[in-house]
mmCIF file of all heavy atoms in Angstrom:
data_model
loop_
_atom_site.group_PDB
_atom_site.id
_atom_site.type_symbol
_atom_site.label_atom_id
_atom_site.label_comp_id
_atom_site.label_asym_id
_atom_site.label_seq_id
_atom_site.Cartn_x
_atom_site.Cartn_y
_atom_site.Cartn_z
ATOM 1 N N PHE P 1 104.012 80.216 219.879
ATOM 2 C CA PHE P 1 104.350 81.622 219.483
ATOM 3 C C PHE P 1 103.191 82.394 219.081
ATOM 4 O O PHE P 1 102.973 83.517 219.530
ATOM 5 C CB PHE P 1 105.379 81.550 218.285
ATOM 6 C CG PHE P 1 105.705 82.901 217.691
ATOM 7 C CD1 PHE P 1 106.506 83.764 218.325
ATOM 8 C CD2 PHE P 1 105.087 83.178 216.487
ATOM 9 C CE1 PHE P 1 106.772 84.933 217.705
ATOM 10 C CE2 PHE P 1 105.308 84.421 215.902
ATOM 11 C CZ PHE P 1 106.158 85.330 216.540
ATOM 12 N N LEU P 2 102.338 81.804 218.323
ATOM 13 C CA LEU P 2 101.084 82.537 217.769
ATOM 14 C C LEU P 2 100.104 82.776 218.913
ATOM 15 O O LEU P 2 99.338 83.775 218.924
ATOM 16 C CB LEU P 2 100.412 81.727 216.702
ATOM 17 C CG LEU P 2 101.205 81.673 215.326
ATOM 18 C CD1 LEU P 2 100.527 80.754 214.423
ATOM 19 C CD2 LEU P 2 101.401 83.034 214.812
ATOM 20 N N TYR P 3 100.129 81.925 219.951
ATOM 21 C CA TYR P 3 99.197 82.107 221.103
ATOM 22 C C TYR P 3 99.530 83.373 221.857
ATOM 23 O O TYR P 3 98.725 84.132 222.315
ATOM 24 C CB TYR P 3 99.319 80.932 222.059
ATOM 25 C CG TYR P 3 98.414 81.028 223.251
ATOM 26 C CD1 TYR P 3 97.070 80.787 223.238
ATOM 27 C CD2 TYR P 3 98.958 81.425 224.389
ATOM 28 C CE1 TYR P 3 96.281 80.954 224.338
ATOM 29 C CE2 TYR P 3 98.221 81.595 225.648
ATOM 30 C CZ TYR P 3 96.853 81.302 225.538
ATOM 31 O OH TYR P 3 96.106 81.455 226.665
ATOM 32 N N TYR P 4 100.831 83.675 222.048
ATOM 33 C CA TYR P 4 101.319 84.819 222.848
ATOM 34 C C TYR P 4 101.452 86.092 222.052
ATOM 35 O O TYR P 4 101.662 87.147 222.669
ATOM 36 C CB TYR P 4 102.614 84.453 223.568
ATOM 37 C CG TYR P 4 102.429 83.420 224.659
ATOM 38 C CD1 TYR P 4 102.861 82.127 224.510
ATOM 39 C CD2 TYR P 4 101.746 83.788 225.774
ATOM 40 C CE1 TYR P 4 102.672 81.225 225.531
ATOM 41 C CE2 TYR P 4 101.560 82.889 226.828
ATOM 42 C CZ TYR P 4 102.003 81.626 226.690
ATOM 43 O OH TYR P 4 101.850 80.651 227.658
ATOM 44 N N VAL P 5 101.360 86.088 220.763
ATOM 45 C CA VAL P 5 101.524 87.339 219.956
ATOM 46 C C VAL P 5 100.586 88.464 220.397
ATOM 47 O O VAL P 5 101.050 89.552 220.564
ATOM 48 C CB VAL P 5 101.376 86.986 218.411
ATOM 49 C CG1 VAL P 5 101.247 88.292 217.606
ATOM 50 C CG2 VAL P 5 102.671 86.247 217.935
ATOM 51 N N PRO P 6 99.283 88.199 220.573
ATOM 52 C CA PRO P 6 98.406 89.356 220.955
ATOM 53 C C PRO P 6 98.773 89.951 222.275
ATOM 54 O O PRO P 6 98.725 91.155 222.488
ATOM 55 C CB PRO P 6 97.010 88.668 221.088
ATOM 56 C CG PRO P 6 97.092 87.439 220.207
ATOM 57 C CD PRO P 6 98.508 86.978 220.319
ATOM 58 N N TYR P 7 99.179 89.174 223.243
ATOM 59 C CA TYR P 7 99.595 89.693 224.566
ATOM 60 C C TYR P 7 100.861 90.517 224.530
ATOM 61 O O TYR P 7 100.891 91.546 225.057
ATOM 62 C CB TYR P 7 99.726 88.525 225.568
ATOM 63 C CG TYR P 7 98.492 87.652 225.663
ATOM 64 C CD1 TYR P 7 98.481 86.425 225.203
ATOM 65 C CD2 TYR P 7 97.332 88.189 226.292
ATOM 66 C CE1 TYR P 7 97.291 85.582 225.368
ATOM 67 C CE2 TYR P 7 96.218 87.428 226.427
ATOM 68 C CZ TYR P 7 96.223 86.105 225.928
ATOM 69 O OH TYR P 7 95.088 85.311 226.014
ATOM 70 N N VAL P 8 101.756 90.039 223.767
ATOM 71 C CA VAL P 8 103.044 90.764 223.629
ATOM 72 C C VAL P 8 102.818 92.105 222.833
ATOM 73 O O VAL P 8 103.363 93.128 223.250
ATOM 74 C CB VAL P 8 104.123 89.925 222.868
ATOM 75 C CG1 VAL P 8 105.325 90.758 222.522
ATOM 76 C CG2 VAL P 8 104.480 88.741 223.700
ATOM 77 N N THR P 9 102.014 92.029 221.836
ATOM 78 C CA THR P 9 101.726 93.248 221.083
ATOM 79 C C THR P 9 101.005 94.295 221.948
ATOM 80 O O THR P 9 101.389 95.458 221.977
ATOM 81 C CB THR P 9 100.785 92.946 219.902
ATOM 82 O OG1 THR P 9 101.448 91.900 219.151
ATOM 83 C CG2 THR P 9 100.543 94.202 219.019
ATOM 84 N N LEU P 10 100.081 93.829 222.762
ATOM 85 C CA LEU P 10 99.373 94.765 223.657
ATOM 86 C C LEU P 10 100.354 95.333 224.674
ATOM 87 O O LEU P 10 100.319 96.527 224.978
ATOM 88 C CB LEU P 10 98.204 94.014 224.355
ATOM 89 C CG LEU P 10 97.431 94.824 225.339
ATOM 90 C CD1 LEU P 10 96.700 95.966 224.604
ATOM 91 C CD2 LEU P 10 96.343 93.946 226.021
ATOM 92 N N ALA P 11 101.215 94.484 225.262
ATOM 93 C CA ALA P 11 102.147 94.996 226.236
ATOM 94 C C ALA P 11 103.175 96.006 225.594
ATOM 95 O O ALA P 11 103.480 96.990 226.266
ATOM 96 C CB ALA P 11 102.945 93.816 226.761
ATOM 97 N N VAL P 12 103.609 95.700 224.417
ATOM 98 C CA VAL P 12 104.488 96.658 223.777
ATOM 99 C C VAL P 12 103.875 98.050 223.441
ATOM 100 O O VAL P 12 104.602 99.022 223.480
ATOM 101 C CB VAL P 12 105.060 95.992 222.447
ATOM 102 C CG1 VAL P 12 105.775 96.947 221.546
ATOM 103 C CG2 VAL P 12 106.024 94.847 222.796
ATOM 104 N N MET P 13 102.647 97.980 223.125
ATOM 105 C CA MET P 13 101.962 99.310 222.924
ATOM 106 C C MET P 13 101.507 99.978 224.246
ATOM 107 O O MET P 13 101.552 101.195 224.301
ATOM 108 C CB MET P 13 100.713 99.034 222.114
ATOM 109 C CG MET P 13 101.000 98.626 220.679
ATOM 110 S SD MET P 13 99.530 98.535 219.655
ATOM 111 C CE MET P 13 98.453 97.479 220.554
ATOM 112 N N THR P 14 101.225 99.244 225.274
ATOM 113 C CA THR P 14 100.638 99.824 226.507
ATOM 114 C C THR P 14 101.657 100.309 227.429
ATOM 115 O O THR P 14 101.635 101.449 227.969
ATOM 116 C CB THR P 14 99.777 98.771 227.206
ATOM 117 O OG1 THR P 14 98.781 98.364 226.293
ATOM 118 C CG2 THR P 14 99.181 99.345 228.425
ATOM 119 N N PHE P 15 102.809 99.532 227.740
ATOM 120 C CA PHE P 15 103.722 99.921 228.752
ATOM 121 C C PHE P 15 104.467 101.226 228.477
ATOM 122 O O PHE P 15 104.581 102.085 229.332
ATOM 123 C CB PHE P 15 104.716 98.809 229.052
ATOM 124 C CG PHE P 15 104.091 97.629 229.682
ATOM 125 C CD1 PHE P 15 104.593 96.315 229.411
ATOM 126 C CD2 PHE P 15 102.982 97.706 230.511
ATOM 127 C CE1 PHE P 15 104.051 95.221 229.967
ATOM 128 C CE2 PHE P 15 102.455 96.631 231.117
ATOM 129 C CZ PHE P 15 102.962 95.365 230.808
ATOM 130 N N PRO P 16 104.953 101.527 227.248
ATOM 131 C CA PRO P 16 105.573 102.761 227.037
ATOM 132 C C PRO P 16 104.527 103.960 227.191
ATOM 133 O O PRO P 16 104.868 105.036 227.709
ATOM 134 C CB PRO P 16 106.039 102.750 225.570
ATOM 135 C CG PRO P 16 106.224 101.337 225.300
ATOM 136 C CD PRO P 16 105.152 100.637 226.099
ATOM 137 N N ALA P 17 103.284 103.712 226.773
ATOM 138 C CA ALA P 17 102.297 104.791 226.954
ATOM 139 C C ALA P 17 102.006 105.061 228.400
ATOM 140 O O ALA P 17 101.803 106.251 228.733
ATOM 141 C CB ALA P 17 100.992 104.387 226.184
ATOM 142 N N ILE P 18 102.083 104.096 229.299
ATOM 143 C CA ILE P 18 101.860 104.353 230.726
ATOM 144 C C ILE P 18 102.903 105.238 231.290
ATOM 145 O O ILE P 18 102.721 106.146 231.983
ATOM 146 C CB ILE P 18 101.768 102.978 231.445
ATOM 147 C CG1 ILE P 18 100.527 102.224 231.111
ATOM 148 C CG2 ILE P 18 101.800 103.202 232.956
ATOM 149 C CD1 ILE P 18 100.441 100.779 231.669
ATOM 150 N N VAL P 19 104.164 104.940 230.830
ATOM 151 C CA VAL P 19 105.311 105.671 231.424
ATOM 152 C C VAL P 19 105.311 107.142 230.892
ATOM 153 O O VAL P 19 105.679 107.987 231.598
ATOM 154 C CB VAL P 19 106.631 104.860 231.168
ATOM 155 C CG1 VAL P 19 107.795 105.708 231.590
ATOM 156 C CG2 VAL P 19 106.604 103.496 231.862
ATOM 157 N N GLU P 20 104.973 107.264 229.623
ATOM 158 C CA GLU P 20 105.137 108.536 228.942
ATOM 159 C C GLU P 20 103.906 109.430 229.112
ATOM 160 O O GLU P 20 103.856 110.570 228.692
ATOM 161 C CB GLU P 20 105.436 108.401 227.465
ATOM 162 C CG GLU P 20 106.767 107.717 227.181
ATOM 163 C CD GLU P 20 107.052 107.379 225.782
ATOM 164 O OE1 GLU P 20 106.167 107.716 224.914
ATOM 165 O OE2 GLU P 20 108.121 106.870 225.531
ATOM 166 N N ALA P 21 102.785 108.946 229.695
ATOM 167 C CA ALA P 21 101.603 109.688 229.802
ATOM 168 C C ALA P 21 101.535 110.682 230.951
ATOM 169 O O ALA P 21 100.594 111.433 231.084
ATOM 170 C CB ALA P 21 100.403 108.784 229.911
ATOM 171 N N THR P 22 102.571 110.674 231.767
ATOM 172 C CA THR P 22 102.615 111.486 232.964
ATOM 173 C C THR P 22 103.641 112.564 232.793
ATOM 174 O O THR P 22 104.496 112.567 231.828
ATOM 175 C CB THR P 22 102.942 110.667 234.229
ATOM 176 O OG1 THR P 22 104.250 110.028 233.956
ATOM 177 C CG2 THR P 22 101.906 109.572 234.439
ATOM 178 N N GLU P 23 103.602 113.625 233.698
ATOM 179 C CA GLU P 23 104.672 114.637 233.664
ATOM 180 C C GLU P 23 106.055 114.119 233.850
ATOM 181 O O GLU P 23 106.976 114.561 233.238
ATOM 182 C CB GLU P 23 104.346 115.648 234.742
ATOM 183 C CG GLU P 23 103.041 116.454 234.408
ATOM 184 C CD GLU P 23 103.220 117.485 233.277
ATOM 185 O OE1 GLU P 23 104.331 118.013 233.158
ATOM 186 O OE2 GLU P 23 102.278 117.637 232.564
ATOM 187 N N SER P 24 106.175 113.131 234.762
ATOM 188 C CA SER P 24 107.446 112.566 235.110
ATOM 189 C C SER P 24 107.405 111.067 234.709
ATOM 190 O O SER P 24 106.481 110.374 235.160
ATOM 191 C CB SER P 24 107.762 112.693 236.566
ATOM 192 O OG SER P 24 108.843 111.984 236.924
ATOM 193 N N PRO P 25 108.347 110.621 233.934
ATOM 194 C CA PRO P 25 108.374 109.194 233.674
ATOM 195 C C PRO P 25 108.516 108.331 234.953
ATOM 196 O O PRO P 25 108.017 107.205 234.919
ATOM 197 C CB PRO P 25 109.582 108.960 232.704
ATOM 198 C CG PRO P 25 109.795 110.338 232.130
ATOM 199 C CD PRO P 25 109.387 111.329 233.163
ATOM 200 N N LEU P 26 109.128 108.885 235.934
ATOM 201 C CA LEU P 26 109.265 108.096 237.188
ATOM 202 C C LEU P 26 107.923 107.863 237.780
ATOM 203 O O LEU P 26 107.602 106.743 238.341
ATOM 204 C CB LEU P 26 110.157 108.848 238.156
ATOM 205 C CG LEU P 26 110.401 108.121 239.460
ATOM 206 C CD1 LEU P 26 111.029 106.781 239.313
ATOM 207 C CD2 LEU P 26 111.219 109.001 240.399
ATOM 208 N N ALA P 27 107.000 108.871 237.703
ATOM 209 C CA ALA P 27 105.633 108.704 238.203
ATOM 210 C C ALA P 27 104.839 107.637 237.499
ATOM 211 O O ALA P 27 104.135 106.754 238.092
ATOM 212 C CB ALA P 27 104.819 110.016 238.153
ATOM 213 N N GLY P 28 105.053 107.607 236.171
ATOM 214 C CA GLY P 28 104.402 106.508 235.377
ATOM 215 C C GLY P 28 104.945 105.149 235.718
ATOM 216 O O GLY P 28 104.174 104.187 235.816
ATOM 217 N N LEU P 29 106.248 105.108 235.922
ATOM 218 C CA LEU P 29 106.862 103.768 236.256
ATOM 219 C C LEU P 29 106.435 103.351 237.678
ATOM 220 O O LEU P 29 106.162 102.122 237.852
ATOM 221 C CB LEU P 29 108.395 103.977 236.243
ATOM 222 C CG LEU P 29 109.208 102.683 236.474
ATOM 223 C CD1 LEU P 29 108.873 101.699 235.398
ATOM 224 C CD2 LEU P 29 110.674 102.962 236.495
#
């Protein structure tokens, strides 16, 4: 569990930002 915590935290912060950083969420997806 402790080994994967940094990767999960990074993914949880990064993926929504990728989708929401564009004009259209579909473009980000």
Side-chain angles (χ1 to χ4, degrees):
F1 171 77
L2 292 174
Y3 178 79
Y4 289 109
V5 165
Y7 303 110
V8 171
T9 305
L10 181 63
V12 166
M13 292 186 307
T14 304
F15 292 148
I18 291 171
V19 175
E20 295 174 1
T22 59
E23 291 288 325
S24 167
L26 181 59
L29 185 62

